Amino acid sequence: MPSPIVAGSSQGAVHNWLNTTQVGRVQVSKVGVWIDAGSRYENEKISGTAHFLEHLAFKGTKKRSQLDLELEIENMGAHLNAYTSREQTVYYAKAFSNDLPRAVEILADIVQNSTLGEAEIERERGVILREMQEVETNLQEVIFDYLHATAYQATAVGRTILGPTENIKSINRNDLVEYITTHYKGPRIVLAAAGGVSHSQLIDLAKYHFGNLPSSYKGDAPAMPLCRFTSSEVCIPMFYYLILYCSLSGLTLNT
């Protein structure tokens, strides 16, 4: 029988300020890398870069082809995924507890060694453009984009996560590498796990697989773009609905 869940949590950090956290203990585990590199860290020229990187995460690394990666995850009975929000880019895996070290190694490989091949970039460019068309017809998807665009006008938070069409058509490998170099730093990353993992084990895995991540900048660290709240409203007729957004003054992004 599976062992019972033991409530509890732990937190820590490794030498390059990459943070770790662990919750609970069961026979399976979920582990992920949370990076403060979501779309709000982009400027207008590179808007959409963080999401573009997410699409390329599983297309191959210096030691694994896309097929190798897919077969390894399948043979582990694991699940590998990623998502981009305005605040963060996240890569995560679900696996049996005994396979946690392999899952962490795979995540570390993806975050630090993705090849970002030109052929894959061009292929995913088309995928993202089709995704944008699908999103624009999904009321649940666009409602929050309109809300952010209205509440945080002319700021990075007000832009969409996918970015504008013209950017998706022009983003290149240099843009992607520059975004990783700028934002994938130890202090901006949290390695978090829940389930069948001890915190000391997670610390050891973080040191071994993420210990070489840079923790400082040659110059000044890039500042988070200011997020100015705008008290406003917009009415949008769509699919026989009338959507009304009212942005109340006095609220902040974290409210």
Side-chain angles (χ1 to χ4, degrees):
M1 290 181 61
S3 59
I5 295 176
V6 179
S9 65
S10 302
Q11 293 182 324
V14 296
H15 64 88
N16 61 351
W17 297 102
L18 181 141
N19 296 288
T20 64
T21 183
Q22 169 264 329
V23 181
R25 185 169 298 156
V26 290
Q27 293 298 315
V28 295
S29 58
K30 183 173 181 179
V31 61
V33 180
W34 273 257
I35 309 172
D36 284 338
S39 63
R40 73 170 300 173
Y41 294 90
E42 302 166 339
N43 57 44
E44 284 189 85
K45 181 181 178 181
I46 62 167
S47 176
T49 302
H51 178 256
F52 209 127
L53 273 172
E54 175 213 320
H55 270 253
L56 292 167
F58 309 131
K59 305 306 178 186
T61 69
K62 295 176 183 178
K63 63 183 291 188
R64 291 178 172 91
S65 68
Q66 180 178 349
L67 179 59
D68 291 337
L69 181 59
E70 291 172 352
L71 289 175
E72 187 170 0
I73 292 297
E74 183 177 345
N75 291 335
M76 289 168 58
H79 173 77
L80 186 65
N81 211 338
Y83 67 86
T84 307
S85 69
R86 284 177 170 81
E87 301 292 335
Q88 297 164 323
T89 300
V90 181
Y91 307 92
Y92 66 93
K94 301 175 186 176
F96 291 108
S97 297
N98 290 340
D99 289 324
L100 180 77
R102 288 179 66 188
V104 173
E105 188 274 326
I106 289 171
L107 290 172
D109 192 28
I110 288 169
V111 169
Q112 299 173 89
N113 302 310
S114 287
T115 53
L116 307 177
E118 295 290 352
E120 288 74 20
I121 290 173
E122 292 306 315
R123 185 163 53 247
E124 289 309 305
R125 196 187 308 279
V127 171
I128 295 171
L129 290 171
R130 290 193 296 273
E131 179 184 349
M132 292 173 70
Q133 293 176 343
E134 295 174 3
V135 167
E136 288 170 358
T137 62
N138 187 327
L139 191 62
Q140 289 182 321
E141 291 282 351
V142 299
I143 189 169
F144 288 106
D145 284 340
Y146 281 116
L147 176 60
H148 281 82
T150 305
Y152 301 99
Q153 298 175 28
T155 71
V157 179
R159 293 192 285 267
T160 65
I161 295 171
L162 273 63
T165 300
E166 56 269 24
N167 281 18
I168 303 307
K169 291 181 177 180
S170 64
I171 287 173
N172 57 45
R173 190 178 190 278
N174 288 338
D175 295 325
L176 300 170
V177 172
E178 178 66 21
Y179 200 77
I180 291 174
T181 303
T182 301
H183 297 291
Y184 285 32
K185 303 284 190 181
R188 303 181 72 159
I189 297 176
V190 172
L191 176 67
V197 53
S198 69
H199 191 241
S200 59
Q201 179 190 28
L202 192 63
I203 287 284
D204 291 340
L205 290 170
K207 289 178 179 178
Y208 187 79
H209 294 296
F210 293 93
N212 291 327
L213 274 173
S215 59
S216 60
Y217 294 87
K218 293 181 179 179
D220 294 333
M224 180 185 293
L226 295 177
C227 174
R228 182 186 64 257
F229 178 82
T230 306
S231 179
S232 183
E233 68 179 40
V234 60
C235 297
I236 304 168
M238 184 181 299
F239 303 113
Y240 304 105
Y241 293 93
L242 182 65
I243 308 171
L244 175 65
Y245 303 98
C246 295
S247 301
L248 305 178
S249 60
L251 300 180
T252 66
L253 182 62
N254 296 321
T255 301

